[in-house]
Amino acid sequence: MTVTSIAGACDQTSLQTQADAELARRAPAGILVLGCMVPLLLLSCDFFRIHRNAMLTALVVTYGSLAMRAWLIWRGGNLFRSRRTVWLSLNAAAVLTPIAMWDGFYCIVAIGRGSETWDALLLLLCMICTCSGGLHSFTPKLSLLWAYQYTLLAGPALVNVCVRSPHHWMIAAAVGALLLFVTIQGRVLHAQFWEALSTQASLRKAKL
């Protein structure tokens, strides 16, 4: 039983139930993009071709987390209905675990080889694109959205600040500006989402 079917059977006045279920409705796009992007990233980075253990770790953690998210969406309906807090905690762990790992890989590559190398720049580009995609996937839950964005980009910002080079400071400033933008934009989109959800609930009540 899927989470969305459970939410449809629940009390339609429960806005929080609908918001939590919307996380499941929006997740497949992010799962698909990340699942397709990771192999291309691993094949394009010299670091992972040289360090096979790192490549194996990246594959296991990323696809294990994606599999967990997929199970929660398409087979976790009963868990969502009976113990929603557990469902939300497992979903958050499945979302943030691979992100924290990729953040750590960026720090290792940037410190060991330099932030201006091809591997570091490619990793940073993929992380920026992934961060922007989170604006769609996690709008219904602002705390998860911010945790996702800051877990993803806090590492690149701090590493480039600590290098003490004008070029690296420019990268850190750009990452910081992006974080500020997605923080503000995420808050706006979250407010708009809840406003639309409340409006729909009011319209349904008016029809009764």
Side-chain angles (χ1 to χ4, degrees):
M1 184 175 293
T2 65
V3 171
T4 52
S5 65
I6 288 290
C10 290
D11 181 9
Q12 291 299 312
T13 62
S14 177
L15 299 185
Q16 188 61 57
T17 298
Q18 296 177 57
D20 292 339
E22 186 66 20
L23 284 173
R25 294 190 186 99
R26 297 183 180 209
I31 292 174
L32 179 62
V33 171
L34 187 59
C36 294
M37 182 178 64
V38 167
L40 298 176
L41 177 61
L42 293 176
L43 292 174
S44 301
C45 288
D46 293 333
F47 174 81
F48 293 105
R49 289 201 296 267
I50 296 172
H51 300 86
R52 295 302 177 91
N53 289 335
M55 177 182 289
L56 181 61
T57 301
L59 288 172
V60 170
V61 173
T62 300
Y63 287 102
S65 298
L66 293 181
M68 172 64 76
R69 290 180 66 187
W71 181 86
L72 289 170
I73 294 166
W74 287 294
R75 291 291 183 267
N78 292 330
L79 181 63
F80 181 85
R81 178 174 55 187
S82 60
R83 302 183 68 183
R84 195 189 313 167
T85 302
V86 175
W87 187 94
L88 290 170
S89 298
L90 289 174
N91 183 65
V95 168
L96 297 177
T97 298
I99 296 305
M101 179 199 65
W102 285 108
D103 191 40
F105 276 139
Y106 174 85
C107 294
I108 292 172
V109 173
I111 294 173
R113 298 191 170 194
S115 301
E116 70 283 355
T117 60
W118 164 255
D119 287 355
L121 291 175
L122 182 60
L123 271 171
L124 182 59
L125 176 62
C126 292
M127 294 166 76
I128 289 173
C129 293
T130 305
C131 179
S132 300
L135 286 172
H136 168 77
S137 298
F138 307 117
T139 294
K141 194 170 185 64
L142 189 60
S143 59
L144 181 58
L145 174 61
W146 282 352
Y148 179 83
Q149 292 169 338
Y150 279 85
T151 300
L152 190 60
L153 292 182
L158 292 175
V159 166
N160 285 284
V161 165
C162 294
V163 173
R164 296 183 179 179
S165 164
H167 292 164
H168 296 92
W169 288 342
M170 289 177 63
I171 295 176
V175 172
L178 176 63
L179 273 175
L180 178 61
F181 170 77
V182 294
T183 298
I184 296 172
Q185 187 67 12
R187 190 178 186 87
V188 170
L189 292 175
H190 178 74
Q192 292 175 346
F193 169 81
W194 275 94
E195 182 179 357
L197 205 62
S198 300
T199 301
Q200 290 175 2
S202 300
L203 290 175
R204 281 194 297 267
K205 287 183 180 179
K207 291 180 180 179
L208 297 177

